[in-house]
mmCIF file of all heavy atoms in Angstrom:
data_model
loop_
_atom_site.group_PDB
_atom_site.id
_atom_site.type_symbol
_atom_site.label_atom_id
_atom_site.label_comp_id
_atom_site.label_asym_id
_atom_site.label_seq_id
_atom_site.Cartn_x
_atom_site.Cartn_y
_atom_site.Cartn_z
ATOM 1 N N PHE C 356 22.701 77.535 16.612
ATOM 2 C CA PHE C 356 23.066 76.211 16.106
ATOM 3 C C PHE C 356 24.141 75.566 16.986
ATOM 4 O O PHE C 356 24.060 74.379 17.316
ATOM 5 C CB PHE C 356 23.546 76.320 14.661
ATOM 6 C CG PHE C 356 23.840 74.987 14.023
ATOM 7 C CD1 PHE C 356 22.812 74.084 13.797
ATOM 8 C CD2 PHE C 356 25.121 74.639 13.658
ATOM 9 C CE1 PHE C 356 23.071 72.845 13.213
ATOM 10 C CE2 PHE C 356 25.382 73.411 13.073
ATOM 11 C CZ PHE C 356 24.357 72.512 12.851
ATOM 12 N N LEU C 357 25.137 76.358 17.398
ATOM 13 C CA LEU C 357 26.202 75.817 18.251
ATOM 14 C C LEU C 357 25.655 75.355 19.602
ATOM 15 O O LEU C 357 26.013 74.289 20.091
ATOM 16 C CB LEU C 357 27.316 76.858 18.461
ATOM 17 C CG LEU C 357 28.212 77.103 17.248
ATOM 18 C CD1 LEU C 357 29.138 78.288 17.501
ATOM 19 C CD2 LEU C 357 29.034 75.868 16.921
ATOM 20 N N TYR C 358 24.772 76.159 20.195
ATOM 21 C CA TYR C 358 24.167 75.759 21.469
ATOM 22 C C TYR C 358 23.279 74.528 21.285
ATOM 23 O O TYR C 358 23.229 73.657 22.153
ATOM 24 C CB TYR C 358 23.370 76.907 22.091
ATOM 25 C CG TYR C 358 24.246 77.923 22.797
ATOM 26 C CD1 TYR C 358 24.288 79.250 22.389
ATOM 27 C CD2 TYR C 358 25.036 77.546 23.884
ATOM 28 C CE1 TYR C 358 25.098 80.181 23.039
ATOM 29 C CE2 TYR C 358 25.849 78.465 24.537
ATOM 30 C CZ TYR C 358 25.872 79.783 24.115
ATOM 31 O OH TYR C 358 26.666 80.693 24.764
ATOM 32 N N TYR C 359 22.601 74.458 20.142
ATOM 33 C CA TYR C 359 21.757 73.295 19.853
ATOM 34 C C TYR C 359 22.615 72.034 19.775
ATOM 35 O O TYR C 359 22.260 70.994 20.329
ATOM 36 C CB TYR C 359 20.994 73.530 18.542
ATOM 37 C CG TYR C 359 20.051 72.419 18.171
ATOM 38 C CD1 TYR C 359 18.797 72.318 18.765
ATOM 39 C CD2 TYR C 359 20.408 71.454 17.226
ATOM 40 C CE1 TYR C 359 17.923 71.290 18.429
ATOM 41 C CE2 TYR C 359 19.542 70.432 16.894
ATOM 42 C CZ TYR C 359 18.298 70.352 17.494
ATOM 43 O OH TYR C 359 17.445 69.332 17.166
ATOM 44 N N LEU C 360 23.754 72.133 19.080
ATOM 45 C CA LEU C 360 24.671 70.990 18.983
ATOM 46 C C LEU C 360 25.201 70.585 20.352
ATOM 47 O O LEU C 360 25.433 69.404 20.605
ATOM 48 C CB LEU C 360 25.849 71.314 18.056
ATOM 49 C CG LEU C 360 25.548 71.429 16.569
ATOM 50 C CD1 LEU C 360 26.806 71.792 15.805
ATOM 51 C CD2 LEU C 360 24.964 70.129 16.032
ATOM 52 N N GLY C 361 25.393 71.578 21.239
ATOM 53 C CA GLY C 361 25.863 71.305 22.597
ATOM 54 C C GLY C 361 24.744 70.887 23.531
ATOM 55 O O GLY C 361 24.961 70.743 24.736
ATOM 56 N N ASN C 362 23.535 70.699 22.985
ATOM 57 C CA ASN C 362 22.359 70.280 23.758
ATOM 58 C C ASN C 362 21.985 71.273 24.858
ATOM 59 O O ASN C 362 21.454 70.885 25.889
ATOM 60 C CB ASN C 362 22.580 68.869 24.333
ATOM 61 C CG ASN C 362 21.267 68.127 24.498
ATOM 62 O OD1 ASN C 362 20.280 68.462 23.834
ATOM 63 N ND2 ASN C 362 21.237 67.147 25.369
ATOM 64 N N GLU C 363 22.291 72.557 24.629
ATOM 65 C CA GLU C 363 21.879 73.613 25.557
ATOM 66 C C GLU C 363 20.657 74.295 24.937
ATOM 67 O O GLU C 363 20.761 75.361 24.325
ATOM 68 C CB GLU C 363 23.023 74.603 25.770
ATOM 69 C CG GLU C 363 24.223 73.989 26.480
ATOM 70 C CD GLU C 363 25.335 75.004 26.710
ATOM 71 O OE1 GLU C 363 25.059 76.095 27.245
ATOM 72 O OE2 GLU C 363 26.476 74.693 26.321
ATOM 73 N N LEU C 364 19.505 73.658 25.112
ATOM 74 C CA LEU C 364 18.289 74.075 24.393
ATOM 75 C C LEU C 364 17.806 75.466 24.777
ATOM 76 O O LEU C 364 17.310 76.201 23.939
ATOM 77 C CB LEU C 364 17.168 73.061 24.618
ATOM 78 C CG LEU C 364 17.236 71.806 23.761
ATOM 79 C CD1 LEU C 364 16.043 70.908 24.035
ATOM 80 C CD2 LEU C 364 17.287 72.151 22.283
ATOM 81 N N GLU C 365 17.967 75.828 26.059
ATOM 82 C CA GLU C 365 17.486 77.148 26.484
ATOM 83 C C GLU C 365 18.242 78.261 25.767
ATOM 84 O O GLU C 365 17.638 79.195 25.228
ATOM 85 C CB GLU C 365 17.626 77.289 28.001
ATOM 86 C CG GLU C 365 16.851 78.467 28.561
ATOM 87 C CD GLU C 365 16.903 78.551 30.077
ATOM 88 O OE1 GLU C 365 16.958 77.500 30.733
ATOM 89 O OE2 GLU C 365 16.899 79.691 30.582
ATOM 90 N N GLN C 366 19.580 78.143 25.745
ATOM 91 C CA GLN C 366 20.403 79.133 25.048
ATOM 92 C C GLN C 366 20.136 79.098 23.538
ATOM 93 O O GLN C 366 20.066 80.143 22.891
ATOM 94 C CB GLN C 366 21.895 78.870 25.307
ATOM 95 C CG GLN C 366 22.366 79.312 26.683
ATOM 96 C CD GLN C 366 22.518 80.825 26.758
ATOM 97 O OE1 GLN C 366 21.567 81.570 26.565
ATOM 98 N NE2 GLN C 366 23.726 81.280 27.036
ATOM 99 N N ALA C 367 19.987 77.893 22.998
ATOM 100 C CA ALA C 367 19.702 77.753 21.563
ATOM 101 C C ALA C 367 18.391 78.454 21.220
ATOM 102 O O ALA C 367 18.295 79.152 20.211
ATOM 103 C CB ALA C 367 19.629 76.273 21.189
ATOM 104 N N THR C 368 17.395 78.302 22.084
ATOM 105 C CA THR C 368 16.091 78.946 21.866
ATOM 106 C C THR C 368 16.213 80.455 21.928
ATOM 107 O O THR C 368 15.654 81.171 21.080
ATOM 108 C CB THR C 368 15.064 78.448 22.910
ATOM 109 O OG1 THR C 368 14.953 77.024 22.790
ATOM 110 C CG2 THR C 368 13.704 79.077 22.698
ATOM 111 N N ASN C 369 16.964 80.966 22.936
ATOM 112 C CA ASN C 369 17.147 82.421 23.075
ATOM 113 C C ASN C 369 17.766 83.022 21.821
ATOM 114 O O ASN C 369 17.304 84.046 21.313
ATOM 115 C CB ASN C 369 18.023 82.748 24.294
ATOM 116 C CG ASN C 369 17.336 82.402 25.606
ATOM 117 O OD1 ASN C 369 16.108 82.280 25.652
ATOM 118 N ND2 ASN C 369 18.110 82.232 26.660
ATOM 119 N N TYR C 370 18.832 82.402 21.327
ATOM 120 C CA TYR C 370 19.508 82.930 20.136
ATOM 121 C C TYR C 370 18.676 82.724 18.868
ATOM 122 O O TYR C 370 18.723 83.536 17.953
ATOM 123 C CB TYR C 370 20.912 82.344 19.995
ATOM 124 C CG TYR C 370 21.899 83.059 20.897
ATOM 125 C CD1 TYR C 370 22.382 82.463 22.053
ATOM 126 C CD2 TYR C 370 22.317 84.358 20.599
ATOM 127 C CE1 TYR C 370 23.269 83.133 22.893
ATOM 128 C CE2 TYR C 370 23.197 85.033 21.433
ATOM 129 C CZ TYR C 370 23.669 84.422 22.577
ATOM 130 O OH TYR C 370 24.537 85.097 23.399
ATOM 131 N N ALA C 371 17.900 81.642 18.818
ATOM 132 C CA ALA C 371 17.002 81.435 17.665
ATOM 133 C C ALA C 371 15.951 82.544 17.623
ATOM 134 O O ALA C 371 15.660 83.099 16.558
ATOM 135 C CB ALA C 371 16.338 80.063 17.747
ATOM 136 N N ASP C 372 15.419 82.897 18.804
ATOM 137 C CA ASP C 372 14.434 83.994 18.874
ATOM 138 C C ASP C 372 15.058 85.312 18.434
ATOM 139 O O ASP C 372 14.446 86.078 17.680
ATOM 140 C CB ASP C 372 13.894 84.136 20.307
ATOM 141 C CG ASP C 372 12.982 82.983 20.695
ATOM 142 O OD1 ASP C 372 12.433 82.326 19.787
ATOM 143 O OD2 ASP C 372 12.827 82.726 21.901
ATOM 144 N N LEU C 373 16.296 85.570 18.893
ATOM 145 C CA LEU C 373 17.006 86.801 18.525
ATOM 146 C C LEU C 373 17.247 86.846 17.013
ATOM 147 O O LEU C 373 17.041 87.882 16.368
ATOM 148 C CB LEU C 373 18.338 86.894 19.288
ATOM 149 C CG LEU C 373 19.241 88.086 18.949
ATOM 150 C CD1 LEU C 373 18.548 89.410 19.286
ATOM 151 C CD2 LEU C 373 20.568 87.981 19.690
ATOM 152 N N ALA C 374 17.650 85.704 16.440
ATOM 153 C CA ALA C 374 17.931 85.632 15.001
ATOM 154 C C ALA C 374 16.666 85.914 14.190
ATOM 155 O O ALA C 374 16.689 86.679 13.221
ATOM 156 C CB ALA C 374 18.493 84.263 14.642
ATOM 157 N N VAL C 375 15.556 85.326 14.606
ATOM 158 C CA VAL C 375 14.293 85.503 13.877
ATOM 159 C C VAL C 375 13.786 86.933 14.019
ATOM 160 O O VAL C 375 13.346 87.547 13.044
ATOM 161 C CB VAL C 375 13.232 84.484 14.363
ATOM 162 C CG1 VAL C 375 11.859 84.816 13.781
ATOM 163 C CG2 VAL C 375 13.637 83.070 13.960
ATOM 164 N N SER C 376 13.893 87.511 15.233
ATOM 165 C CA SER C 376 13.407 88.886 15.427
ATOM 166 C C SER C 376 14.290 89.897 14.688
ATOM 167 O O SER C 376 13.816 90.946 14.262
ATOM 168 C CB SER C 376 13.307 89.228 16.916
ATOM 169 O OG SER C 376 14.583 89.220 17.511
ATOM 170 N N SER C 377 15.585 89.586 14.501
ATOM 171 C CA SER C 377 16.492 90.480 13.773
ATOM 172 C C SER C 377 16.258 90.431 12.269
ATOM 173 O O SER C 377 16.456 91.423 11.576
ATOM 174 C CB SER C 377 17.956 90.122 14.055
ATOM 175 O OG SER C 377 18.229 90.223 15.424
ATOM 176 N N ASP C 378 15.875 89.249 11.755
ATOM 177 C CA ASP C 378 15.627 89.103 10.318
ATOM 178 C C ASP C 378 14.608 87.984 10.107
ATOM 179 O O ASP C 378 14.969 86.806 10.074
ATOM 180 C CB ASP C 378 16.939 88.796 9.581
ATOM 181 C CG ASP C 378 16.741 88.662 8.071
ATOM 182 O OD1 ASP C 378 15.602 88.862 7.597
ATOM 183 O OD2 ASP C 378 17.717 88.332 7.373
ATOM 184 N N ARG C 379 13.355 88.363 9.958
ATOM 185 C CA ARG C 379 12.251 87.396 9.847
ATOM 186 C C ARG C 379 12.328 86.588 8.554
ATOM 187 O O ARG C 379 11.665 85.555 8.429
ATOM 188 C CB ARG C 379 10.917 88.161 9.927
ATOM 189 C CG ARG C 379 9.690 87.279 10.026
ATOM 190 C CD ARG C 379 9.580 86.640 11.387
ATOM 191 N NE ARG C 379 8.695 85.488 11.374
ATOM 192 C CZ ARG C 379 8.267 84.858 12.430
ATOM 193 N NH1 ARG C 379 8.643 85.242 13.636
ATOM 194 N NH2 ARG C 379 7.480 83.818 12.341
ATOM 195 N N TYR C 380 13.146 87.036 7.600
ATOM 196 C CA TYR C 380 13.226 86.336 6.313
ATOM 197 C C TYR C 380 14.468 85.451 6.192
ATOM 198 O O TYR C 380 14.800 85.003 5.104
ATOM 199 C CB TYR C 380 13.186 87.356 5.169
ATOM 200 C CG TYR C 380 11.922 88.181 5.199
ATOM 201 C CD1 TYR C 380 11.934 89.484 5.686
ATOM 202 C CD2 TYR C 380 10.706 87.639 4.788
ATOM 203 C CE1 TYR C 380 10.767 90.230 5.754
ATOM 204 C CE2 TYR C 380 9.539 88.371 4.856
ATOM 205 C CZ TYR C 380 9.569 89.664 5.340
ATOM 206 O OH TYR C 380 8.416 90.394 5.412
ATOM 207 N N ASN C 381 15.138 85.209 7.314
ATOM 208 C CA ASN C 381 16.340 84.383 7.314
ATOM 209 C C ASN C 381 15.927 82.913 7.460
ATOM 210 O O ASN C 381 15.512 82.487 8.528
ATOM 211 C CB ASN C 381 17.243 84.823 8.489
ATOM 212 C CG ASN C 381 18.517 84.013 8.581
ATOM 213 O OD1 ASN C 381 18.661 82.962 7.971
ATOM 214 N ND2 ASN C 381 19.451 84.509 9.380
ATOM 215 N N PRO C 382 16.034 82.105 6.362
ATOM 216 C CA PRO C 382 15.558 80.716 6.443
ATOM 217 C C PRO C 382 16.329 79.868 7.453
ATOM 218 O O PRO C 382 15.756 78.998 8.098
ATOM 219 C CB PRO C 382 15.741 80.186 5.018
ATOM 220 C CG PRO C 382 16.659 81.127 4.347
ATOM 221 C CD PRO C 382 16.546 82.440 5.038
ATOM 222 N N ALA C 383 17.639 80.151 7.613
ATOM 223 C CA ALA C 383 18.433 79.382 8.583
ATOM 224 C C ALA C 383 17.975 79.678 10.006
ATOM 225 O O ALA C 383 17.917 78.776 10.861
ATOM 226 C CB ALA C 383 19.915 79.703 8.421
ATOM 227 N N ALA C 384 17.633 80.942 10.275
ATOM 228 C CA ALA C 384 17.146 81.314 11.610
ATOM 229 C C ALA C 384 15.813 80.625 11.895
ATOM 230 O O ALA C 384 15.595 80.099 12.996
ATOM 231 C CB ALA C 384 16.987 82.832 11.703
ATOM 232 N N LEU C 385 14.930 80.609 10.902
ATOM 233 C CA LEU C 385 13.629 79.962 11.067
ATOM 234 C C LEU C 385 13.779 78.447 11.249
ATOM 235 O O LEU C 385 13.077 77.834 12.050
ATOM 236 C CB LEU C 385 12.731 80.265 9.862
ATOM 237 C CG LEU C 385 12.279 81.731 9.760
ATOM 238 C CD1 LEU C 385 11.817 82.050 8.350
ATOM 239 C CD2 LEU C 385 11.183 82.024 10.774
ATOM 240 N N THR C 386 14.735 77.864 10.535
ATOM 241 C CA THR C 386 14.992 76.423 10.675
ATOM 242 C C THR C 386 15.507 76.111 12.073
ATOM 243 O O THR C 386 15.058 75.157 12.713
ATOM 244 C CB THR C 386 15.997 75.948 9.602
ATOM 245 O OG1 THR C 386 15.459 76.245 8.312
ATOM 246 C CG2 THR C 386 16.260 74.463 9.705
ATOM 247 N N ASN C 387 16.447 76.941 12.565
ATOM 248 C CA ASN C 387 16.954 76.738 13.926
ATOM 249 C C ASN C 387 15.852 76.866 14.957
ATOM 250 O O ASN C 387 15.793 76.104 15.918
ATOM 251 C CB ASN C 387 18.069 77.744 14.249
ATOM 252 C CG ASN C 387 19.405 77.318 13.706
ATOM 253 O OD1 ASN C 387 19.558 76.195 13.242
ATOM 254 N ND2 ASN C 387 20.373 78.201 13.754
ATOM 255 N N LYS C 388 14.985 77.863 14.762
ATOM 256 C CA LYS C 388 13.857 78.039 15.685
ATOM 257 C C LYS C 388 12.971 76.797 15.652
ATOM 258 O O LYS C 388 12.547 76.292 16.691
ATOM 259 C CB LYS C 388 13.060 79.307 15.318
ATOM 260 C CG LYS C 388 11.880 79.569 16.225
ATOM 261 C CD LYS C 388 12.289 79.768 17.675
ATOM 262 C CE LYS C 388 11.068 79.918 18.567
ATOM 263 N NZ LYS C 388 11.387 79.800 19.979
ATOM 264 N N GLY C 389 12.723 76.298 14.455
ATOM 265 C CA GLY C 389 11.955 75.063 14.320
ATOM 266 C C GLY C 389 12.618 73.899 15.034
ATOM 267 O O GLY C 389 11.960 73.096 15.694
ATOM 268 N N ASN C 390 13.957 73.823 14.941
ATOM 269 C CA ASN C 390 14.692 72.734 15.592
ATOM 270 C C ASN C 390 14.548 72.780 17.112
ATOM 271 O O ASN C 390 14.404 71.737 17.756
ATOM 272 C CB ASN C 390 16.181 72.795 15.228
ATOM 273 C CG ASN C 390 16.432 72.469 13.773
ATOM 274 O OD1 ASN C 390 15.549 71.994 13.072
ATOM 275 N ND2 ASN C 390 17.633 72.746 13.302
ATOM 276 N N THR C 391 14.590 73.990 17.673
ATOM 277 C CA THR C 391 14.472 74.093 19.141
ATOM 278 C C THR C 391 13.058 73.700 19.582
ATOM 279 O O THR C 391 12.892 73.037 20.602
ATOM 280 C CB THR C 391 14.825 75.508 19.658
ATOM 281 O OG1 THR C 391 13.927 76.461 19.087
ATOM 282 C CG2 THR C 391 16.265 75.884 19.319
ATOM 283 N N VAL C 392 12.069 74.082 18.791
ATOM 284 C CA VAL C 392 10.681 73.717 19.102
ATOM 285 C C VAL C 392 10.491 72.204 18.928
ATOM 286 O O VAL C 392 9.853 71.541 19.750
ATOM 287 C CB VAL C 392 9.702 74.510 18.183
ATOM 288 C CG1 VAL C 392 8.275 74.051 18.378
ATOM 289 C CG2 VAL C 392 9.815 76.002 18.460
ATOM 290 N N PHE C 393 11.087 71.642 17.865
ATOM 291 C CA PHE C 393 11.040 70.194 17.601
ATOM 292 C C PHE C 393 11.632 69.427 18.780
ATOM 293 O O PHE C 393 11.068 68.433 19.241
ATOM 294 C CB PHE C 393 11.822 69.896 16.318
ATOM 295 C CG PHE C 393 11.724 68.473 15.832
ATOM 296 C CD1 PHE C 393 10.899 68.154 14.766
ATOM 297 C CD2 PHE C 393 12.470 67.458 16.408
ATOM 298 C CE1 PHE C 393 10.811 66.844 14.297
ATOM 299 C CE2 PHE C 393 12.388 66.154 15.956
ATOM 300 C CZ PHE C 393 11.555 65.839 14.891
ATOM 301 N N ALA C 394 12.784 69.911 19.279
ATOM 302 C CA ALA C 394 13.461 69.238 20.398
ATOM 303 C C ALA C 394 12.604 69.233 21.661
ATOM 304 O O ALA C 394 12.738 68.343 22.501
ATOM 305 C CB ALA C 394 14.807 69.909 20.681
ATOM 306 N N ASN C 395 11.706 70.219 21.775
ATOM 307 C CA ASN C 395 10.800 70.274 22.926
ATOM 308 C C ASN C 395 9.513 69.491 22.684
ATOM 309 O O ASN C 395 8.601 69.505 23.506
ATOM 310 C CB ASN C 395 10.481 71.730 23.287
ATOM 311 C CG ASN C 395 11.666 72.401 23.956
ATOM 312 O OD1 ASN C 395 12.343 71.802 24.792
ATOM 313 N ND2 ASN C 395 11.940 73.641 23.581
ATOM 314 N N GLY C 396 9.414 68.819 21.531
ATOM 315 C CA GLY C 396 8.287 67.929 21.267
ATOM 316 C C GLY C 396 7.067 68.568 20.624
ATOM 317 O O GLY C 396 6.052 67.907 20.440
ATOM 318 N N ASP C 397 7.160 69.862 20.253
ATOM 319 C CA ASP C 397 6.017 70.519 19.599
ATOM 320 C C ASP C 397 6.220 70.445 18.083
ATOM 321 O O ASP C 397 6.644 71.407 17.437
ATOM 322 C CB ASP C 397 5.897 71.975 20.069
ATOM 323 C CG ASP C 397 4.588 72.628 19.624
ATOM 324 O OD1 ASP C 397 3.908 72.059 18.743
ATOM 325 O OD2 ASP C 397 4.260 73.702 20.147
ATOM 326 N N TYR C 398 5.893 69.289 17.506
ATOM 327 C CA TYR C 398 6.175 69.029 16.093
ATOM 328 C C TYR C 398 5.311 69.871 15.165
ATOM 329 O O TYR C 398 5.751 70.255 14.088
ATOM 330 C CB TYR C 398 6.013 67.534 15.791
ATOM 331 C CG TYR C 398 6.799 66.667 16.743
ATOM 332 C CD1 TYR C 398 6.166 65.729 17.563
ATOM 333 C CD2 TYR C 398 8.177 66.808 16.864
ATOM 334 C CE1 TYR C 398 6.891 64.957 18.451
ATOM 335 C CE2 TYR C 398 8.908 66.033 17.758
ATOM 336 C CZ TYR C 398 8.254 65.113 18.549
ATOM 337 O OH TYR C 398 8.974 64.359 19.440
ATOM 338 N N GLU C 399 4.090 70.167 15.581
ATOM 339 C CA GLU C 399 3.188 70.979 14.767
ATOM 340 C C GLU C 399 3.744 72.386 14.583
ATOM 341 O O GLU C 399 3.803 72.915 13.472
ATOM 342 C CB GLU C 399 1.811 71.036 15.442
ATOM 343 C CG GLU C 399 0.681 71.466 14.536
ATOM 344 C CD GLU C 399 0.285 70.414 13.505
ATOM 345 O OE1 GLU C 399 -0.099 69.303 13.892
ATOM 346 O OE2 GLU C 399 0.363 70.754 12.306
ATOM 347 N N LYS C 400 4.202 72.979 15.706
ATOM 348 C CA LYS C 400 4.753 74.336 15.650
ATOM 349 C C LYS C 400 6.080 74.337 14.881
ATOM 350 O O LYS C 400 6.372 75.267 14.125
ATOM 351 C CB LYS C 400 4.943 74.876 17.066
ATOM 352 C CG LYS C 400 5.203 76.360 17.119
ATOM 353 C CD LYS C 400 5.151 76.879 18.540
ATOM 354 C CE LYS C 400 5.396 78.375 18.573
ATOM 355 N NZ LYS C 400 5.468 78.893 19.933
ATOM 356 N N ALA C 401 6.879 73.293 15.091
ATOM 357 C CA ALA C 401 8.151 73.170 14.364
ATOM 358 C C ALA C 401 7.889 73.152 12.862
ATOM 359 O O ALA C 401 8.576 73.832 12.095
ATOM 360 C CB ALA C 401 8.891 71.907 14.793
ATOM 361 N N ALA C 402 6.869 72.399 12.443
ATOM 362 C CA ALA C 402 6.523 72.316 11.021
ATOM 363 C C ALA C 402 6.179 73.695 10.456
ATOM 364 O O ALA C 402 6.553 74.015 9.323
ATOM 365 C CB ALA C 402 5.358 71.350 10.813
ATOM 366 N N GLU C 403 5.514 74.528 11.267
ATOM 367 C CA GLU C 403 5.171 75.887 10.815
ATOM 368 C C GLU C 403 6.428 76.707 10.538
ATOM 369 O O GLU C 403 6.512 77.429 9.545
ATOM 370 C CB GLU C 403 4.287 76.593 11.854
ATOM 371 C CG GLU C 403 2.879 76.030 11.945
ATOM 372 C CD GLU C 403 2.145 75.987 10.611
ATOM 373 O OE1 GLU C 403 2.201 76.987 9.863
ATOM 374 O OE2 GLU C 403 1.536 74.946 10.314
#
């Protein structure tokens, strides 16, 4: 989330992936992952 706020999408994506792989049931991690995908223009995947 902090990297996302700083507009460092690559780092934000890396940590979002780590968060999701560490706990697949963490809604905040999944939301952050969605945000990084949304920022890259893949709205369909973000919605998932």
Side-chain angles (χ1 to χ4, degrees):
F356 185 66
L357 287 172
Y358 281 119
Y359 182 80
L360 290 178
N362 209 22
E363 294 181 51
L364 280 182
E365 194 176 327
Q366 284 284 60
T368 301
N369 293 340
Y370 280 106
D372 289 338
L373 176 62
V375 170
S376 65
S377 301
D378 181 3
R379 188 73 199 190
Y380 301 102
N381 180 346
L385 291 161
T386 302
N387 278 350
K388 180 61 185 167
N390 292 348
T391 61
V392 174
F393 187 103
N395 286 319
D397 190 346
Y398 308 119
E399 198 72 59
K400 193 170 181 185
E403 289 306 315

